[in-house]
Amino acid sequence: MTDAGRTAEKKAEQAHDSDWLDHAIRAGLVAYGVVHLLVAWLAIQLALGEKQDQASNAGALHYLAEQPMGGVLVWLIAVGMFLLVLWRLLEAALGYPEESDDKKRWLKRGSSLAKAVIYGALGWSAVQTATGSGSGGGTDSTTAKLMDLPGGQVIVVLVGLGTIGYGGSLVYRGWTEKFREHLDAQGQAGKDGSAYVLAGKVGYIAKGVAIALVGGLFLYAGITHEAKKSGGLDQALQRVLDVPFGQVLLIAIGIGIAGYGVFCFARAKHLSR
């Protein structure tokens, strides 16, 4: 490695371990929590038949943009998401040095890279909302483009299975309370700590169920070769209304997603990384 390369790597390591990155992560987590609270609000309103706004990340951003000072808030969310992208990219490059197993360390770094992509997509969606440049293409049009690729049907099925798997991993983390590792000792102690853990447990499970539903739509679209059978979070939650006790289930999912938002705030306050 050249001297310039070693210098760049050292600066990256210093950034990864710095206090300013902690502040950046906290700001990003607050923004992420706000988005989840808005999605929860729209989901509950959808269940009650009082709103037609899309109960999704994009729908939440559009809803926020329509409020007083909403444009500024959407820009702040975009900045927060890109700060989380920076954090996850540094983790993907330099994180988990304490992990002695090389395979596990690279798996964790790969997970950080995937999360950077998720945060980046949300940040870009916020920029598009703030600038009014969002495209009109929906999830079904994206699925149709994938279908047109060689082996496209298989790709859509794999996307569905992968999305279901990710949702299932969130449910697992919620049920086993593995998310506790994201809170420092103070954040897990006392009545406040118990409330944070409960919010995290409910939130992870509800978010996991919602994401698995989205994966189910992709899987069904891939199997049936019908792009319009796919959909985003808003379509998945709309489908919940069609099942027995769907209104109750959708309200429960909305409350759970709100719990995830609250946990993001708790994590920002009691950050452990």
Side-chain angles (χ1 to χ4, degrees), residues 66-134:
E66 294 170 357
Q67 309 309 308
M69 296 294 292
V72 174
L73 294 175
V74 171
W75 273 115
L76 290 175
I77 285 175
V79 171
M81 290 303 98
F82 291 134
L83 289 174
L84 291 181
V85 169
L86 174 61
W87 167 39
R88 291 303 188 180
L89 288 178
L90 286 171
E91 266 195 346
L94 304 167
Y96 313 106
E98 73 285 352
E99 183 60 68
S100 58
D101 188 318
D102 288 344
K103 183 178 180 180
K104 289 183 179 179
R105 181 168 61 253
W106 284 109
L107 282 174
K108 289 181 178 180
R109 288 183 173 183
S111 175
S112 293
L113 183 60
K115 290 175 182 177
V117 173
I118 293 172
Y119 295 144
L122 181 53
W124 178 243
S125 180
V127 170
Q128 289 185 308
T129 300
T131 59
S133 61

Side-chain angles (χ1 to χ4, degrees), residues 184-245:
D184 60 20
Q186 185 180 358
Q188 300 182 47
K191 291 183 179 179
D192 286 348
S194 297
Y196 296 153
V197 171
L198 177 60
K201 191 178 188 76
V202 172
Y204 269 86
I205 292 174
K207 183 176 180 179
V209 169
I211 289 175
L213 288 172
V214 175
L217 293 181
F218 271 96
L219 182 61
Y220 186 66
I223 292 173
T224 61
H225 206 277
E226 295 183 61
K228 289 187 178 298
K229 297 295 185 181
S230 67
L233 181 59
D234 52 335
Q235 289 100 323
L237 295 180
Q238 185 73 54
R239 297 289 178 89
V240 174
L241 289 175
D242 297 331
V243 305
F245 305 104

